[in-house]
Amino acid sequence: MTYEPLKNIKNTRIIQLEPASGSQSLVCNLREISVTDSCETYDALSYTWGEFKSPKTITCDGHSVSITNHLHCALQHLRSPDAAITLWVDQLCIDQTNVEERGRQVQLMERIYRQAQRVVVWLGDEDGNSRLVWKLMRKLLHIDETSPAVVLARNNLESLGLPGWRSMEWKNLEKFLDRPWFKRIWVLQEVVVSTHAIVKCGQDSLLWEEMVRVIKRVKFAGLSTSGEASYAEHRLSCELVTQMDHVRNYQKQGQQRVNFFHLLMSCRNRAATDSRDKIFALLGLGYYDINPDYSKTETEVYLELATYHVSQIIPGGRWQRLSHPQKAEWLSDLLLCACNAPIQRLQGQLPSWVPDWKDGTQREPIVRFGKKCIISAYNAGGDSLGMVQICNDTQLHLSGKIVDTVAMAGTAQIKLPNRMFVTKHHGVISAWFAESNIIATYCPQPYPTGEPMNEVYKRTLVVNRAPEGGEASLQYVETQYGSLISFLRGQMACMDFAAFHERHSQLLQGLAEGRVLILTKRGYLGLAPWGTRIGDSVCVLLGMPTPTILRSEFDHFKLVGECYVHGIMKGEIMKDERIPVETVILR
């Protein structure tokens, strides 16, 4: 079918789905509307495309058009036997062969979903287990309504009229939450901006708010009964729903835009068929004046975003009047995302300071680890930002102090598919800590700060922070280290996963993953990105909360990643006038 060009850049199309039922063919007609016309009424569909294998057909404006099985199933369930219904569906309402139109329509998508009278979340057709899942969710809703103070736990489920923890119903719920919709990045905007949303699976439906209440109950109860991979997917789905609810409530309170870069960071592991959509799918929720342009490569899109982000805090930028600490956090967000990308970056294409959004994070940023963001807990670079300048499109010029050189660095890598099941990776973790113990023995006595070496080592392993964000007490450090020893001795082989995560996650999960212990020439211990080499520089960039590892290459540096170095996290280097401030060129 050939689409008629839209008459205005603020226009879109909607379909009128003709009445039918059962096995009757799908028939629809397109109609052009203006998104600025609030009188138009339509439902907007939030769904997953699925693959174009064995596509189905719909008759659209008299022409046979191929659509995915997922959409075909959704339209069959949504159509009415008695009257036509009006829908906005991206697969039909956008000319997918027109790159320019796709970009313009993505710009309008936030308004399209916001103005819809209803957003219909289509999770797919029902199956033998989904009806049981829906029954379980309604039981959970009843408990939430009648006994909101009751906390679900594995030992009280049956007394509340729920299936026992080991029953198939809970496994079916986990499988249900593994449906593709829960992993898709586009659905965040589609639901967040909606005024009214309903969730449908076959003939069953719940209000979006009801779905959220169910998910929160399941998430906080830690009711997983499945293996490692299944639990990881289940947890990711729960996190997406609670995140969507948080952003949706934020906007309902009158806050029209969220911190876009924080949103990007939190959605980094979401699925997108086109990696450029990792950016484009969220633009409607932020305040970045970037237009989706599918004629640009992913490298160009990622570089444009990073350059725009930096440009906002230099003279002439929107946020040039922010305080130095605010500007420092703004810049830190960018560098943290670049630091914590997978090792397999778009090699040779992206500058090292530009985040590669194609894949998920390799490790949790140090300043964002734990229950609370602890970015204010460190102040390695002091309160002044210094130079911020982009040169030749790919170079970022900053002010900093090169303070030390890496003398020893670990090589063992901890890479956990799911941090909740660390007991299955005992050998990998044991090798990591054995190597770290050896490196620590080369640390000079006394430590440069005068602290006992044994205490410094233990504090370094937890970056000297408690999960609540404050500086770790000696008692906390010793408790964490004791848990480590018990784990290594095999005394924690069988534990409740949720309890294990709550009590022991900081030392055995997250912080060590993707990092290695390092020792510098000046005798400092630290945690640095896996891949850090002997000879790499330890740099404190002005205004940044943590030091960074840099690798010298000709006339510039490559950004390797953020690091924790015990003894220089509170601005000590900035007070040392013997170390000069210099221009650090990143590329």
Side-chain angles (χ1 to χ4, degrees), residues 121-139:
V121 174
W122 175 254
L123 298 180
D125 202 358
E126 61 196 43
D127 56 33
N129 294 326
S130 66
R131 301 304 298 269
L132 297 175
V133 168
W134 227 257
K135 185 178 179 180
L136 174 61
M137 289 196 291
R138 294 199 181 280
K139 286 183 180 179

Side-chain angles (χ1 to χ4, degrees), residues 183-244:
K183 304 174 187 65
R184 183 171 166 259
I185 195 167
W186 276 106
V187 303
L188 187 75
Q189 175 179 253
E190 293 165 0
V191 172
V192 161
V193 302
S194 66
T195 55
H196 176 61
I198 185 171
V199 182
K200 291 183 69 67
C201 177
Q203 298 298 326
D204 294 308
S205 64
L206 285 175
L207 295 177
W208 171 255
E209 291 78 8
E210 293 174 328
M211 173 66 77
V212 170
R213 283 158 51 198
V214 169
I215 295 298
K216 285 183 176 179
R217 282 278 182 174
V218 172
K219 177 184 177 183
F220 296 131
L223 298 176
S224 173
T225 62
S226 301
E228 179 171 347
S230 176
Y231 186 79
E233 298 300 330
H234 160 231
R235 187 173 180 84
L236 187 65
S237 298
C238 290
E239 288 174 354
L240 173 63
V241 172
T242 53
Q243 177 190 41
M244 292 165 76

